Every structure is written in C-alpha cells, then in structure tokens.
Amino acid sequence: ARRAAHRVAAMTDAPSARGEILAHFWSLSADDASTRKRACEALMRDLRAAAAADGARARRSDDDGDGRDGDGGADARAYALRRLTRGLSSGRAGARQGFALALSELATFAATPAEALDALDANVAPITKATKGQEARDILLGRLFGAAAIGLALGGREDVREEERRRCGAEVARRAETLSREKTYLAEPAAACVIELRASLGDETFAGVVEDAGEGLERWLSGDCGGDAGADTLWLACETFEALPRETRDRVQCVRATKKGKKVDWAEMFTRTHLSKISKALLDTAHTHPRMHSAWEMMLREAPGARGVVPLWEIVCEDGLFVSGSHQRRFLGFRVFDTLLSSAEAHEIPALFSSNFIKCLLNNLSAPDNYLHECAVDCLARIVAFASDKKTSSEKKIAVIAALQRQGPTRFDNVTKTNAVQDLVKSLDSDDALHYLQSMYAVVTKAPVQDSDVVGTEEELASALANGTGQKRRLWALEQMAGLAPMLPSDKVVELMQFMLFHAYYKATDGKAGKKGKSNIPASILKSPLEEPTGSVRSACSTRFLAMINSNVRAQRAAASKETDDKQDVVDLLSEATSFCRALEGETAVDMIDSIPDECREVRAELFKALDACVGSGDELAAKVAPLIRVLSVLQVSDWREFTPALQDLPRCVGELVNPKKKSKKSKKSKKDGEDEPEAIDVLTDILLSLLAQPSALLRDVVEHTFKAVSGQVSKEGIQDMLRIIAGPEVGEDAGEGEGDGEDEDVLMEDDDSDVDDDDDDDEESDDDDDDEESDDEEDYGEANDAEIAAMRAAASKIVGTAAEDSDDSDSESEGMDDAAMFRIDKLLAEAFKSRQQDLMRKKNLKRATRDFKFRVISLFQLYAKAQPGSAYLPNAVVTLLEAMRDSLGKQDPQSAQLAERIAALISKHIAHARDLPELLGDEVTSKTIQSKLLEVIVAANRGASDAQVFNKAAGAAAAYLLRVLEAVALHEKGGKAAKVGEEVASENAIDCFREALKMFKSKKSKLKTGFFSQTFARHPALASALLPELFSLVAIDADKPNARGEFLRLEALKLVNPVIQSGKKRYPPLAKSATKSMKTLSVSLAAAIGAPYKNKNTRADACQQAANCIESLNRLIGEIEIKTIIDVDAIVDAVAKQMSRPPALPQKAQKAFQRICALLDRAVPDVEMQPKSDANDNDGDDGSESEEDAPKPKKDKKSKKRRDSSGGENSSKKKVKKNR
C-alpha cells in the first residue's frame, strides 16, 4: 500500500490530462444506463488515442534525438484511474455504477489489476469515528463496487500471469468477505462479487483463488444457515460449489452434494429435513424488501426440477413467512406464491392454497387500510389471470378454481366486490372438471408413498407414512373434490357425495353383492377401496360429506325462497344420502367401520319407518320434520353410541305429531307410577334441545328449522326447559369439585364438523351462529395454588415416612430424605401439578361449552319469538330472561357480558315486538298475572345491574311490552273494543304498577332512570294523564329543606312532566281536562318547586327554567282558557319572590325564566331585597328546626375544624422551631 501511494503520487504530479477526457466523467454519472455506456466507450477511445499519440510522439523524438518523452497518454491514464477510484464513493445519480464500469474497462486494457487495487486503496477515503452514517455507507459501497469491477477485469487479462491473476482474485475475494461482515445489506452484493469472480476466472483458477484467499472465505462458505449464517452463504455456496476445492466442499454445511461430491444434489436440497435447517436463513431476508433475495431466486429456479415446490412452500412459506407478524415476510410470501404457481404441476397447486396463506390473503383483501392490501389484490388478480390464460392447462386451471371454491362460492368476490372468480368458474368446461375429478378419486384411494428422507424404527416409519406428504396429498385431493362440486352436474355431485359417505363410514368386504348377486352400489366405489394406511382420510371424508350436506340444505332453502321464474333445481343430497345408507345396509359386500349392535339397529329400523310415514303422509309438518330424521339416520352411522339414545323416542313423537290421536283418560296415566305421560311435543322439544348441544353444524341447522316448524305446538314445559337452560348456573358455580363428569361433557367438548364458509347464506338466523366463535381469556391458574400445595405436602409426608421418624433433630421433612426419596417426590409432585392443571383446563372447556350451549338455546328462543309472536308464554319468559341477564352481568367477565347482550337483544328486538294480545290460555294470561309480571320487571329495573346501560335498555323494552299486553288484556276482559287514537283510557292495573314505580323512584337506592318513565309516557299518554297528580307531587318533594336528593328529584320530575304536557295537545287531548281538574295541586307543586332552597347553583337555574317551561306548556295545553285565570297566581309570584330573595344572586338563566313566568301571569317581576345568608338559612324551615340531613353537619364541621386548628397549630409551631434552628 505504501508503494502504491508513492506511485499514485507520482501520477498526480504529472502534467494535466487532456480537456476532452474531462467531459466524459460527467456523463459517467448520468442516471440513464445507455448514457453511461456511451461515455465509457468514449473515455476508453480517447485514452487509447492518447496512448497511441504518445507512442508515435515517442518514436519521432527518438528519431529526432530531442530527448523528450511522450507521456501524455500516461498522464491521462493516471488521471482517469485516480478519478474513477475516487468517484466510486459518490452517491450522486449513477456515478457509482458508471465509474465502476469505466474502472473495469480501464483495468482490462490500460492499467493492470494490481495497479487498480493499489489506486483503490489510495483514493477511497478511510472510515473513522468522525465519518457519518451515509458517508460511511457510500465508502463501503465504493470499495465493493471497485473490487467487483477489478474482479470482472481479471477475466479479460489473459496477458497477466496465472499467479498474478490468482493473487489479485484472492485479494478481491478477501475484500468481498470483509465487506460482507461489515453490514447486512452488503452480504448479498459481496456474494455476487465472488460469484462473478468465479465466472470471470473459470473454475480452475477460482479454485486456486479460494485456496489463496485464506480462512475468511472458507469460514463464509462453511457457515451454518441454521445459526448465524445468512442467505448469502447459501447462495454463494450453491453457486460456487462445483468450483470449490475438495477440502472446502467437505466443510460446506448448507449444501447437499451428489454421491460423487462434485455437484449440488438439488433433490436432497429440497427434502423437508434440509429445508428445516436452512429455513432460518431464507426467512431472514426481509432487509432486501421489496426486492427478492438472490438466494430465493435460486431456490425458486431449482424447485420445479427437483420436485421441491410443495416442501419449499410448506416448510419455509406456510410455516414460516405467513405465521410471522412481519409485513415484509408476508410480502415475500406473496411474491414466492406468484412464482411457484406458474411453475407448479397440477397436483402441487392444492398445496399452495394452504390455510395460513388463504387466511393472510383474505384478511388483507378485506381491509383496504392494511399495508399489504394492494399486494393481496395483485396476488388474487395474478391467480385469476393465471387460470384465465389460454396457455394454462385445463388440469392446472381446474385445480386453481377448486382451491378458490373451497373457501365458499362467493367468498373472494364478496371481498373484492367483483365477479372475477365467478366468471372464472363459468368459463370452465364441465368435461375438464369431470376428468380432473376422476384423477382425484385415484389419488384418494391409492395408498401413500413413504417420503425418501424419513428414517427410524418400524413404528416411526408407519407413523410417518400415515402423516407424510403422500397422506397430505390425499387430503388435498379431498379438498379439491369438494371445491369441484359447484362445477359438476347433479348426477356427478351425487356420485361425489356417495364416495365421501362410503369411505367415511363403510368399507367393502369379501361377501357377495346381494341376494341375487346384483348390487345397487356403484362399481367404482366397491372396486376402489380406501387403501391402508387411511390415517385421517376417513375423518376428512366425514367432514367434507357433512359440509356438502350442510351447504346443499342451505342452497335448497335459498332456491325455495326465490320468487323468480328462473329457479335452479338443486339436488336433494340429504335424501340421496339417506337412501344410499339404506341401500348400503342391505348389501352383504359392505360393512360399517363401526358396526351398530342389533338393539340399536331396531331403533334405526323404527326411525326409517317414521321417515317413510312422513314422506308418505304429504303433510306440511311432516315434510319439515323429515330432514331431521334423515340427518339423524346419517349421523347414527358416524357415532351410534352418541345418537342412538336420542332416537329412541323420536319415532313415537313424530308419529303423534303427524297423525294425532285422541287419548283416553286411562292412557294418560303410566302403568308404573301413575304419573302423567309426557306429551309428544314435550319429548320432541327435549330431544331437540339435547341435539342442539351436539357439535355438528348441520344438525344444529336442521334442529333450528325443525323447531321453527313445530314452534306452534310447543307447550309451557318446553318453554320452561329453554328458560331453565338460559338462566341456569354454569359449570362449577353450584357443583361440587368432582361433579360434572358425564356424557354431556363429552358432547359439548367435541369439535365442530363445519369446515366451510357459506357466504351466500343470507338467512335471518345466520347472525345467531356466532356463539361457536366465542373466545375465552386465558385461565388464571392462581386458584390452584392451595390444592397444589396440599398435594405437595401429602406427597412429602407419604415419601418421608419412616425417614422423618428416625431423624431426631430434623427441622423439616426434607432433611430426612435421601436422593431416591427426592426423585420419587419429584415424580409425584409433577403428577400432582399435571393432574390439577388438566382438571382446571377441563373445567374451563366445559364452562365455555356450557356458555356456547346457552347461546344456541337463545338463538332457538329467538326463532320461537319470531315464529309465534302471539304466544302466551312470552310475558312470563321476560322476567326470567331479565333475571338471567342480571346474573350474567354480575359475573363481570367478557363472556358473561356477551351472554347478557344476547339476552338483551332477544328481549329488545324480538319479544318486545310481539303481539299486544297473546293467545289466551286459561290462567296464563290475565290482567292480574300480567300486572304481577310488570311489577317484577319494574322491581328488577329499580334494583339495577352492574352494566346499567345494557340492563336499563332491556328492562325498559320489557316493561313497555308488558304494559302493552296488560292494556290489551284488561280491555279484552272488559269486553271493550280498542279505542281510537287520543281517546284511550289507562287501565287500573297499569296505573297501580306505575304508581308503585314512582314511589320506588323517590328512594335513594333506586336505580330507575327518568328515561324509563319518559319512554313509557310517550307511548301511553293516557297513563301519564292518569298519573299527573303523582308526577307533580314529585315536583314538590322535599321543597321545605335543602338536600341533594330532593333537588335531583324535583329537577328530574320537571324534565319528565314537560314532554308529557308538550305532546298532550296533539297526541292526547283529554290531558287538558285532567290538568285543568288538578290545577290546584299543580299550582301548589310548581310554587313549591320554584321557591324551594337549592344548594347547587346549576340545579337552581335549571329548575327555574324547567318550571317556566312547564307553566308555558300548560298554557298551550289548555288553549282557550288563559292560565292566569285558573292557576294560583299569588302562590307562584310569592314563590318567585322567595327564590329571588335567597342568596346568592340568581343566575342569568333563572332571571330570564322568572321574567317569562311573570309576563305570562300578567304580573311584574317582584322587587325584593336579598336576605343575608344567616337569615335565609333561618327562614328555610317553617318551625325553625333543622332537617335530618343538616343536623349532624355542624358537629362534624366543628370537630374537623378543631382537628385542622390543632394540626395546623402543631404544624405551625414545628415550622417556627425549624425556622429558628
């Protein structure tokens, strides 16, 4: 370096370079690449011309003998070398790229690579502590670009000796390795520099370069990609592997070589085991965002030929990029998907549409504000474009469409607000879909092949075979088949359903086909059994089958609800499935996977008889009950232990409902205990409620619609059962520690069979299915501490035993233990901890399942309220639901709050809109019973709840509903007709209820709000007219003594009275007569409210203003008669004068209110003097005695004042002492 500095200094001391050469350096910094290229060519041309001119001049000088040297060309070359190496550190425009290009060309023909390296060291500024970040970055990039330029120049210098080329190449490699460790963003371009050096020098020379480069380059190549090494190590090692020396190849960890060890074995590179090792390096390439790292480009280039598309996607993308919270990694995942989709085979495409990818895609498509929204939109557009391209094969096109259809027929179109996917489906040829379906049949039935990279024992190999790639491919094929259903004709859809059903619950045996040797079962099913190992294929078939039936049932309802002429016929897959099951059970060549015992087969036979009776009856109710029987007959095959008990009484119930028969009085008594036999509808309701707890989405859907069909016959007992479930305690609230282990626990805790999103289902009940998605907070295991500590002590005392007894001076149990005892107690403690945590988790899951069951019953009750708005059981249900809501709010946890909100929605949106006059059934609906229920609601509202807003709204809706019912029932009992609007008369029952409510409102502990009364009086002005004296009595409450409660009640009463009076003239004219009749009482109350003492100045001003509004409203209500002729004017004016005399001075709002009152009464505003504060306080009470609220206050004030004085004196004395010190 020192010699290079002297040499360069000599160059800089030479005469100035030519002027025409200087202009080229400006063009080398241009942004346009073509401009830089032309400038480089011109610079090299001028340098060659200068060198040629110098040579000619030198020859002439030798001939003339003048002794002058032609060194102009050398000067120009030296200047260019110095200028180019210095310009590499410039970040202006394209200077770095242009100067590196010119340096490479210069080092190729003019300067030697060694001179270029020396100039690079001499002219690129060093990095010191004072160097700023951006400046240091430019310097590092300048060094890298210079090394890369010299490395490229080495390839064109055949005139340089081999040893010199190796030496310069090793120097370039060392510099690249050093720079790769400086900054992360330099690692990839440094690796590119070494890779280009290999291409420039050739494999043989590059091998010598690696040997001469030293340990740094070997350490870089042999880095562990699962540890500290990055993707640059992987890329560099793979691209240079064949040219590396043998010893270096043996030390490379991230590359799998062929058997000969000279080439990269890409098939081994894409095994799942190796991908797991290098996945960290591939994931840590987010710093190149938005550009894709070269290592990724290499892997994506080699994956299709090595059959590595699926492993690369699953290991690195699905379980890596898309589970990360990094936007950059997910962006990279979308880029990788685009590349792999275009190169994947048809059977590999289903793996690309994996769950995490679809979830990420849909989430970003549905949120326009997301960072990756535009990227997700572009990804979906590329998918559609790929499937729409004419060059795409039909198999790939169908695979893409089937994968999109698996998310729902209109899921993607609804999110993007387009019809791109639907148009894609319509463009598909059904013949292509059938051809693809046949290939999927073969994939599912064929046994999987063991993965090549799996090793282990026989058990491990068997487990890997049952859960390996081959088995996953079978599951992908099932998903593809389910996605093809909308594209198939009806007969092929039925065939697909039969395939799913058969392989889910049945298997072929060696028996003959039937009695006559003929079979109704398709030969394609019997001759293509599901080869072992089946693994999870049968359960997947069951899930897909039930999902197909569920979607088909909803599609039939949607088609039936359409009133257009172009209705599409939808095949009834549920009926086809039931018939297929009955046909299979008659075949000797077919057997169930889980055979049903004979006693259960008898129940099944009775169920089919009931189904035949429903089908043959032609009754509308029977047609609506038949789907339930069909679903249960199919589900019994899947789990006969669970569903058979629920089917035993179902045939009898259905038979009695469809064909009701009169029973004699004797038959109503059971023979055993003489009790009444339950009615068929009650038994059916119990069955439906028990089935509602099942995890099957299909079964719950059918149960809801069956209940809706029979809701008109549901009895009081059935409604009470539903209310008992909703209002019942949750698990662990009133049960013992060991209770709760039963069959219901297993039922509630099973997984749901629904695996599809039906976005085209617009039923009104769809929003009621959200109960399955309720989430629980993490369990707090702190409550287990006591039990765990007790278990520890018990275990310790059990193990120590005699050892503790033999220890004379032992202070603790642990001192008597040996090592073996300690190991035994550790094992027992671990078991105690594990058992306790499992018990807590079981109770948590059971509690969540119980709450979900309540949500489902609430949805069922909503259906009942909507289908039977005139039910006589709804008024009684309101009180129970309100109490259940209060209990849920009292638990104060998020899940209970959600349950309370659902109950509030049930009351406010459904029950509150029921009919005014229910169906009268005996003593269920009378004015007295409804009055008692209304009083209970009012009492509940008076008690309140923790979440007052939600509870008060529901209580107000319940009270309004019961009041409507009470008025209608009372009028019906009297035999009267509904009065015209404005002529209604409130019933005595309603008046008594709300008179009690007003009494409750006066209490300090009352939680009743003004809104509760204002809503009621706005809807029932007749009730407000009847209660007008009681309302005005609130206006004068505690008017003789100042207290906060009295002030609040008076102001709230005025706010309540004013709307009633203001709206009475139009809505209820008889209110004027009632007000005129009670004007004396009204005058006294208003005068008391105006003249009452107020402590709060804002309340005082508001009360005066509301009183003025009330008098003005009364004047407008009476109309023809002036208010001053019937109201007690003197009392009102005296009250105004009394209020004006009270200190402090009236607020401006109150003064204006009194001016309005006096003007209306045709009196002047009283001119009074304000009393002193003491006199005003003395005159507050008529008898001069203090009120209860005010009596103890002076004593408290005196005591507190004494404390303040004493403490103040003490503190002041301390301060004085401190100051003196």
PDB file of all heavy atoms in Angstrom, residues 429-452:
ATOM      1  N   ASP A 429     -65.031 -25.710 -18.470  1.00  0.00           N
ATOM      2  CA  ASP A 429     -65.719 -26.780 -19.183  1.00  0.00           C
ATOM      3  C   ASP A 429     -66.013 -27.925 -18.217  1.00  0.00           C
ATOM      4  O   ASP A 429     -65.120 -28.384 -17.489  1.00  0.00           O
ATOM      5  CB  ASP A 429     -64.852 -27.265 -20.348  1.00  0.00           C
ATOM      6  CG  ASP A 429     -65.607 -28.234 -21.252  1.00  0.00           C
ATOM      7  OD1 ASP A 429     -66.780 -28.517 -20.960  1.00  0.00           O
ATOM      8  OD2 ASP A 429     -65.011 -28.697 -22.235  1.00  0.00           O
ATOM      9  N   SER A 430     -67.253 -28.400 -18.209  1.00  0.00           N
ATOM     10  CA  SER A 430     -67.627 -29.474 -17.266  1.00  0.00           C
ATOM     11  C   SER A 430     -66.877 -30.765 -17.565  1.00  0.00           C
ATOM     12  O   SER A 430     -66.594 -31.548 -16.659  1.00  0.00           O
ATOM     13  CB  SER A 430     -69.134 -29.714 -17.339  1.00  0.00           C
ATOM     14  OG  SER A 430     -69.519 -30.080 -18.650  1.00  0.00           O
ATOM     15  N   ASP A 431     -66.538 -31.008 -18.837  1.00  0.00           N
ATOM     16  CA  ASP A 431     -65.782 -32.217 -19.169  1.00  0.00           C
ATOM     17  C   ASP A 431     -64.402 -32.197 -18.519  1.00  0.00           C
ATOM     18  O   ASP A 431     -63.918 -33.224 -18.030  1.00  0.00           O
ATOM     19  CB  ASP A 431     -65.649 -32.348 -20.687  1.00  0.00           C
ATOM     20  CG  ASP A 431     -66.995 -32.567 -21.358  1.00  0.00           C
ATOM     21  OD1 ASP A 431     -67.915 -33.068 -20.673  1.00  0.00           O
ATOM     22  OD2 ASP A 431     -67.130 -32.221 -22.536  1.00  0.00           O
ATOM     23  N   ASP A 432     -63.785 -31.028 -18.501  1.00  0.00           N
ATOM     24  CA  ASP A 432     -62.488 -30.917 -17.836  1.00  0.00           C
ATOM     25  C   ASP A 432     -62.617 -31.156 -16.337  1.00  0.00           C
ATOM     26  O   ASP A 432     -61.764 -31.797 -15.718  1.00  0.00           O
ATOM     27  CB  ASP A 432     -61.892 -29.530 -18.089  1.00  0.00           C
ATOM     28  CG  ASP A 432     -61.558 -29.316 -19.556  1.00  0.00           C
ATOM     29  OD1 ASP A 432     -61.349 -30.320 -20.261  1.00  0.00           O
ATOM     30  OD2 ASP A 432     -61.512 -28.145 -19.983  1.00  0.00           O
ATOM     31  N   ALA A 433     -63.685 -30.628 -15.761  1.00  0.00           N
ATOM     32  CA  ALA A 433     -63.902 -30.839 -14.326  1.00  0.00           C
ATOM     33  C   ALA A 433     -64.111 -32.314 -14.010  1.00  0.00           C
ATOM     34  O   ALA A 433     -63.585 -32.834 -13.018  1.00  0.00           O
ATOM     35  CB  ALA A 433     -65.096 -30.019 -13.856  1.00  0.00           C
ATOM     36  N   LEU A 434     -64.868 -33.022 -14.852  1.00  0.00           N
ATOM     37  CA  LEU A 434     -65.086 -34.455 -14.634  1.00  0.00           C
ATOM     38  C   LEU A 434     -63.788 -35.234 -14.777  1.00  0.00           C
ATOM     39  O   LEU A 434     -63.512 -36.159 -13.998  1.00  0.00           O
ATOM     40  CB  LEU A 434     -66.134 -34.970 -15.624  1.00  0.00           C
ATOM     41  CG  LEU A 434     -67.571 -34.488 -15.397  1.00  0.00           C
ATOM     42  CD1 LEU A 434     -68.474 -34.972 -16.515  1.00  0.00           C
ATOM     43  CD2 LEU A 434     -68.085 -34.984 -14.050  1.00  0.00           C
ATOM     44  N   HIS A 435     -63.002 -34.871 -15.759  1.00  0.00           N
ATOM     45  CA  HIS A 435     -61.726 -35.554 -15.949  1.00  0.00           C
ATOM     46  C   HIS A 435     -60.819 -35.345 -14.737  1.00  0.00           C
ATOM     47  O   HIS A 435     -60.160 -36.288 -14.260  1.00  0.00           O
ATOM     48  CB  HIS A 435     -61.051 -35.030 -17.219  1.00  0.00           C
ATOM     49  CG  HIS A 435     -59.678 -35.598 -17.438  1.00  0.00           C
ATOM     50  ND1 HIS A 435     -59.468 -36.921 -17.813  1.00  0.00           N
ATOM     51  CD2 HIS A 435     -58.436 -35.030 -17.327  1.00  0.00           C
ATOM     52  CE1 HIS A 435     -58.162 -37.146 -17.927  1.00  0.00           C
ATOM     53  NE2 HIS A 435     -57.523 -36.006 -17.638  1.00  0.00           N
ATOM     54  N   TYR A 436     -60.803 -34.138 -14.222  1.00  0.00           N
ATOM     55  CA  TYR A 436     -59.980 -33.850 -13.055  1.00  0.00           C
ATOM     56  C   TYR A 436     -60.525 -34.579 -11.821  1.00  0.00           C
ATOM     57  O   TYR A 436     -59.754 -35.055 -10.981  1.00  0.00           O
ATOM     58  CB  TYR A 436     -59.949 -32.343 -12.822  1.00  0.00           C
ATOM     59  CG  TYR A 436     -58.990 -31.913 -11.741  1.00  0.00           C
ATOM     60  CD1 TYR A 436     -57.619 -31.958 -11.943  1.00  0.00           C
ATOM     61  CD2 TYR A 436     -59.461 -31.447 -10.514  1.00  0.00           C
ATOM     62  CE1 TYR A 436     -56.742 -31.557 -10.957  1.00  0.00           C
ATOM     63  CE2 TYR A 436     -58.586 -31.045  -9.533  1.00  0.00           C
ATOM     64  CZ  TYR A 436     -57.216 -31.095  -9.756  1.00  0.00           C
ATOM     65  OH  TYR A 436     -56.348 -30.699  -8.768  1.00  0.00           O
ATOM     66  N   LEU A 437     -61.832 -34.671 -11.707  1.00  0.00           N
ATOM     67  CA  LEU A 437     -62.438 -35.370 -10.571  1.00  0.00           C
ATOM     68  C   LEU A 437     -62.047 -36.842 -10.565  1.00  0.00           C
ATOM     69  O   LEU A 437     -61.750 -37.411  -9.500  1.00  0.00           O
ATOM     70  CB  LEU A 437     -63.960 -35.224 -10.620  1.00  0.00           C
ATOM     71  CG  LEU A 437     -64.741 -35.889  -9.493  1.00  0.00           C
ATOM     72  CD1 LEU A 437     -64.406 -35.264  -8.147  1.00  0.00           C
ATOM     73  CD2 LEU A 437     -66.240 -35.795  -9.747  1.00  0.00           C
ATOM     74  N   GLN A 438     -62.046 -37.471 -11.722  1.00  0.00           N
ATOM     75  CA  GLN A 438     -61.658 -38.877 -11.796  1.00  0.00           C
ATOM     76  C   GLN A 438     -60.216 -39.079 -11.332  1.00  0.00           C
ATOM     77  O   GLN A 438     -59.901 -40.064 -10.654  1.00  0.00           O
ATOM     78  CB  GLN A 438     -61.838 -39.386 -13.230  1.00  0.00           C
ATOM     79  CG  GLN A 438     -63.279 -39.414 -13.704  1.00  0.00           C
ATOM     80  CD  GLN A 438     -64.154 -40.329 -12.862  1.00  0.00           C
ATOM     81  OE1 GLN A 438     -63.701 -41.363 -12.358  1.00  0.00           O
ATOM     82  NE2 GLN A 438     -65.412 -39.946 -12.694  1.00  0.00           N
ATOM     83  N   SER A 439     -59.346 -38.165 -11.695  1.00  0.00           N
ATOM     84  CA  SER A 439     -57.956 -38.285 -11.239  1.00  0.00           C
ATOM     85  C   SER A 439     -57.858 -38.111  -9.728  1.00  0.00           C
ATOM     86  O   SER A 439     -57.029 -38.746  -9.082  1.00  0.00           O
ATOM     87  CB  SER A 439     -57.081 -37.251 -11.950  1.00  0.00           C
ATOM     88  OG  SER A 439     -57.473 -35.929 -11.604  1.00  0.00           O
ATOM     89  N   MET A 440     -58.720 -37.278  -9.154  1.00  0.00           N
ATOM     90  CA  MET A 440     -58.716 -37.090  -7.706  1.00  0.00           C
ATOM     91  C   MET A 440     -59.222 -38.343  -6.983  1.00  0.00           C
ATOM     92  O   MET A 440     -58.750 -38.667  -5.894  1.00  0.00           O
ATOM     93  CB  MET A 440     -59.574 -35.890  -7.324  1.00  0.00           C
ATOM     94  CG  MET A 440     -59.020 -34.548  -7.770  1.00  0.00           C
ATOM     95  SD  MET A 440     -57.441 -34.111  -7.003  1.00  0.00           S
ATOM     96  CE  MET A 440     -56.317 -34.524  -8.363  1.00  0.00           C
ATOM     97  N   TYR A 441     -60.180 -39.051  -7.557  1.00  0.00           N
ATOM     98  CA  TYR A 441     -60.626 -40.318  -6.978  1.00  0.00           C
ATOM     99  C   TYR A 441     -59.451 -41.274  -6.800  1.00  0.00           C
ATOM    100  O   TYR A 441     -59.293 -41.924  -5.754  1.00  0.00           O
ATOM    101  CB  TYR A 441     -61.683 -40.964  -7.881  1.00  0.00           C
ATOM    102  CG  TYR A 441     -63.056 -40.353  -7.786  1.00  0.00           C
ATOM    103  CD1 TYR A 441     -63.871 -40.256  -8.914  1.00  0.00           C
ATOM    104  CD2 TYR A 441     -63.552 -39.879  -6.591  1.00  0.00           C
ATOM    105  CE1 TYR A 441     -65.134 -39.691  -8.847  1.00  0.00           C
ATOM    106  CE2 TYR A 441     -64.821 -39.317  -6.506  1.00  0.00           C
ATOM    107  CZ  TYR A 441     -65.596 -39.221  -7.637  1.00  0.00           C
ATOM    108  OH  TYR A 441     -66.846 -38.672  -7.561  1.00  0.00           O
ATOM    109  N   ALA A 442     -58.634 -41.358  -7.837  1.00  0.00           N
ATOM    110  CA  ALA A 442     -57.497 -42.276  -7.776  1.00  0.00           C
ATOM    111  C   ALA A 442     -56.485 -41.853  -6.724  1.00  0.00           C
ATOM    112  O   ALA A 442     -55.894 -42.693  -6.027  1.00  0.00           O
ATOM    113  CB  ALA A 442     -56.828 -42.353  -9.157  1.00  0.00           C
ATOM    114  N   VAL A 443     -56.291 -40.545  -6.563  1.00  0.00           N
ATOM    115  CA  VAL A 443     -55.330 -40.062  -5.566  1.00  0.00           C
ATOM    116  C   VAL A 443     -55.794 -40.401  -4.155  1.00  0.00           C
ATOM    117  O   VAL A 443     -55.004 -40.812  -3.292  1.00  0.00           O
ATOM    118  CB  VAL A 443     -55.124 -38.541  -5.729  1.00  0.00           C
ATOM    119  CG1 VAL A 443     -54.284 -37.988  -4.589  1.00  0.00           C
ATOM    120  CG2 VAL A 443     -54.470 -38.233  -7.061  1.00  0.00           C
ATOM    121  N   VAL A 444     -57.089 -40.265  -3.897  1.00  0.00           N
ATOM    122  CA  VAL A 444     -57.604 -40.503  -2.541  1.00  0.00           C
ATOM    123  C   VAL A 444     -57.539 -41.977  -2.180  1.00  0.00           C
ATOM    124  O   VAL A 444     -57.152 -42.337  -1.059  1.00  0.00           O
ATOM    125  CB  VAL A 444     -59.047 -39.978  -2.433  1.00  0.00           C
ATOM    126  CG1 VAL A 444     -59.657 -40.356  -1.085  1.00  0.00           C
ATOM    127  CG2 VAL A 444     -59.079 -38.468  -2.589  1.00  0.00           C
ATOM    128  N   THR A 445     -57.912 -42.845  -3.082  1.00  0.00           N
ATOM    129  CA  THR A 445     -57.986 -44.269  -2.758  1.00  0.00           C
ATOM    130  C   THR A 445     -56.628 -44.950  -2.750  1.00  0.00           C
ATOM    131  O   THR A 445     -56.443 -45.962  -2.070  1.00  0.00           O
ATOM    132  CB  THR A 445     -58.896 -44.982  -3.763  1.00  0.00           C
ATOM    133  OG1 THR A 445     -58.414 -44.730  -5.102  1.00  0.00           O
ATOM    134  CG2 THR A 445     -60.316 -44.471  -3.647  1.00  0.00           C
ATOM    135  N   LYS A 446     -55.663 -44.419  -3.475  1.00  0.00           N
ATOM    136  CA  LYS A 446     -54.358 -45.064  -3.569  1.00  0.00           C
ATOM    137  C   LYS A 446     -53.553 -44.843  -2.300  1.00  0.00           C
ATOM    138  O   LYS A 446     -53.584 -43.781  -1.704  1.00  0.00           O
ATOM    139  CB  LYS A 446     -53.592 -44.529  -4.782  1.00  0.00           C
ATOM    140  CG  LYS A 446     -52.321 -45.299  -5.086  1.00  0.00           C
ATOM    141  CD  LYS A 446     -51.664 -44.762  -6.347  1.00  0.00           C
ATOM    142  CE  LYS A 446     -50.390 -45.521  -6.664  1.00  0.00           C
ATOM    143  NZ  LYS A 446     -49.732 -45.010  -7.891  1.00  0.00           N
ATOM    144  N   ALA A 447     -52.807 -45.886  -1.891  1.00  0.00           N
ATOM    145  CA  ALA A 447     -52.001 -45.792  -0.675  1.00  0.00           C
ATOM    146  C   ALA A 447     -50.875 -44.788  -0.864  1.00  0.00           C
ATOM    147  O   ALA A 447     -50.311 -44.663  -1.959  1.00  0.00           O
ATOM    148  CB  ALA A 447     -51.430 -47.160  -0.320  1.00  0.00           C
ATOM    149  N   PRO A 448     -50.512 -44.053   0.182  1.00  0.00           N
ATOM    150  CA  PRO A 448     -49.426 -43.064   0.059  1.00  0.00           C
ATOM    151  C   PRO A 448     -48.066 -43.743  -0.038  1.00  0.00           C
ATOM    152  O   PRO A 448     -47.893 -44.905   0.364  1.00  0.00           O
ATOM    153  CB  PRO A 448     -49.545 -42.257   1.345  1.00  0.00           C
ATOM    154  CG  PRO A 448     -50.160 -43.205   2.328  1.00  0.00           C
ATOM    155  CD  PRO A 448     -51.085 -44.075   1.538  1.00  0.00           C
ATOM    156  N   VAL A 449     -47.096 -43.013  -0.548  1.00  0.00           N
ATOM    157  CA  VAL A 449     -45.726 -43.493  -0.687  1.00  0.00           C
ATOM    158  C   VAL A 449     -44.883 -42.835   0.402  1.00  0.00           C
ATOM    159  O   VAL A 449     -45.031 -41.652   0.697  1.00  0.00           O
ATOM    160  CB  VAL A 449     -45.170 -43.168  -2.095  1.00  0.00           C
ATOM    161  CG1 VAL A 449     -43.745 -43.660  -2.231  1.00  0.00           C
ATOM    162  CG2 VAL A 449     -46.065 -43.781  -3.158  1.00  0.00           C
ATOM    163  N   GLN A 450     -43.983 -43.620   0.957  1.00  0.00           N
ATOM    164  CA  GLN A 450     -43.130 -43.116   2.029  1.00  0.00           C
ATOM    165  C   GLN A 450     -42.181 -42.049   1.502  1.00  0.00           C
ATOM    166  O   GLN A 450     -41.640 -42.152   0.399  1.00  0.00           O
ATOM    167  CB  GLN A 450     -42.318 -44.271   2.634  1.00  0.00           C
ATOM    168  CG  GLN A 450     -41.475 -43.895   3.837  1.00  0.00           C
ATOM    169  CD  GLN A 450     -42.308 -43.531   5.047  1.00  0.00           C
ATOM    170  OE1 GLN A 450     -42.700 -42.364   5.205  1.00  0.00           O
ATOM    171  NE2 GLN A 450     -42.594 -44.512   5.886  1.00  0.00           N
ATOM    172  N   ASP A 451     -41.991 -40.982   2.301  1.00  0.00           N
ATOM    173  CA  ASP A 451     -41.041 -39.932   1.934  1.00  0.00           C
ATOM    174  C   ASP A 451     -39.620 -40.488   1.945  1.00  0.00           C
ATOM    175  O   ASP A 451     -39.260 -41.323   2.792  1.00  0.00           O
ATOM    176  CB  ASP A 451     -41.140 -38.755   2.901  1.00  0.00           C
ATOM    177  CG  ASP A 451     -42.497 -38.069   2.801  1.00  0.00           C
ATOM    178  OD1 ASP A 451     -43.128 -38.194   1.748  1.00  0.00           O
ATOM    179  OD2 ASP A 451     -42.910 -37.422   3.783  1.00  0.00           O
ATOM    180  N   SER A 452     -38.819 -40.020   1.022  1.00  0.00           N
ATOM    181  CA  SER A 452     -37.472 -40.569   0.854  1.00  0.00           C
ATOM    182  C   SER A 452     -36.533 -40.202   1.993  1.00  0.00           C
ATOM    183  O   SER A 452     -35.563 -40.915   2.253  1.00  0.00           O
ATOM    184  CB  SER A 452     -36.879 -40.086  -0.479  1.00  0.00           C
ATOM    185  OG  SER A 452     -36.817 -38.665  -0.498  1.00  0.00           O
TER     186      SER A 452
END
